[in-house]
Amino acid sequence: MTEVLGTQPAPAQWIVIATAVAALAAVLPRPLWRLSRNAITIAHEGGHGLVALVTGRRLQSIRLHSDTSGLTVSRGRPTGLGMILTAAAGYTAAPLLGLGGAALLGSHRVTLLLWLATALLIAMLVMVRNAYGIFTVLLTGALFLLVSWLTGPAVQSVFAYAAVWFLLLGGVRPAFELQAKRRHGGAGDSDADQLARLTHVPAPLWLFFFHAVSLSALIGGFRWLVRW
């Protein structure tokens, strides 16, 4: 427990920058993004599920699909603050998780970050109800677990920084993709549209909110991770 809660040495600055470049390389090219986006979908649907539980809703199932879409089903009042917060949690989950991870890395708690991520993935796995979803969450959780158990501090640090950079950078792109789909008449039942129906606030304003959260998290995370 002491090792988990303790601090670890900060990596060299070039490693921090190199992991940021590696994460950006997984986000920008479309072929790689089609694969790596699965991890952002895990965070997205996990965000819906976690906030549903926190607000007192009954979480029934989470499904993750091979086209990187997902679906989280919860039961409770169809309107009200709990439903609004649950709907708003998807597109903001990856950036906020990245920001939280950056704060932990900024305080040199690499091991704690890895174990918290593993615990969240295991908890999410219990609620996943389709084979592809189980496979992706199990694979991601196993990767975190193996790095935590079988590698030394240097490898753990590189992996943790790469993962946090990926959440921060990868958390920005989905809102722009949703905006493009809506511009061409698609995604009519997106989170932004559901929030518009729940709050009577236009969907474009909710899109602006998603952009604001993801970009603010990226800026904040950058300040935690990069030491001038």
Side-chain angles (χ1 to χ4, degrees):
M1 182 59 69
T2 302
E3 182 180 345
V4 173
L5 298 178
T7 59
Q8 292 75 40
Q13 188 72 350
W14 73 266
I15 294 178
V16 176
I17 301 302
T19 54
V21 172
L24 195 62
V27 170
L28 289 181
R30 185 177 295 273
L32 277 179
W33 176 241
R34 290 182 63 184
L35 178 63
S36 64
R37 198 185 193 282
N38 284 283
I40 299 298
T41 303
I42 291 173
H44 181 116
E45 300 304 329
H48 283 313
L50 178 61
V51 174
L53 290 173
V54 169
T55 56
R57 298 180 63 80
R58 181 182 176 187
L59 182 60
Q60 288 201 319
S61 67
I62 296 174
R63 293 178 177 271
L64 307 170
H65 305 132
S66 58
D67 63 355
T68 71
S69 65
L71 177 65
T72 298
V73 178
S74 63
R75 298 298 182 190
R77 289 183 57 195
T79 58
L81 182 60
M83 187 63 207
I84 293 170
L85 292 175
T86 298
Y91 280 93
T92 58
L96 292 179
L97 285 171
L99 182 61
L104 287 174
L105 293 181
S107 59
H108 313 301
R109 299 184 185 278
V110 175
T111 304
L112 179 59
L113 181 147
L114 294 175
W115 281 103
L116 283 175
T118 304
L120 287 172
L121 288 163
I122 292 173
M124 182 176 176
L125 184 62
V126 175
M127 298 308 302
V128 178
R129 293 292 184 267
N130 68 319
Y132 184 81
I134 291 172
F135 171 74
T136 55
V137 175
L138 194 60
L139 182 65
T140 307
L143 181 60
F144 273 87
L145 194 61
L146 288 173
V147 170
S148 301
W149 273 1
L150 301 181
T151 66
V155 175
Q156 290 179 8
S157 183
V158 170
F159 179 80
Y161 272 83
V164 168
W165 276 121
F166 176 74
L167 286 172
L168 291 169
L169 294 165
V172 172
R173 184 165 178 172
F176 284 98
E177 293 177 334
L178 176 58
Q179 185 175 356
K181 288 179 181 177
R182 295 190 77 259
R183 190 184 301 121
H184 293 92
D189 197 36
S190 69
D191 291 356
D193 294 282
Q194 292 181 39
L195 285 163
R197 292 192 291 270
L198 287 166
T199 63
H200 306 293
V201 174
L205 287 182
W206 282 108
L207 268 172
F208 176 79
F209 171 73
F210 296 155
H211 286 310
V213 170
S214 62
L215 292 172
S216 297
L218 177 58
I219 294 169
F222 182 91
R223 296 183 65 180
W224 276 109
L225 297 173
V226 179
R227 302 176 302 279
W228 294 104

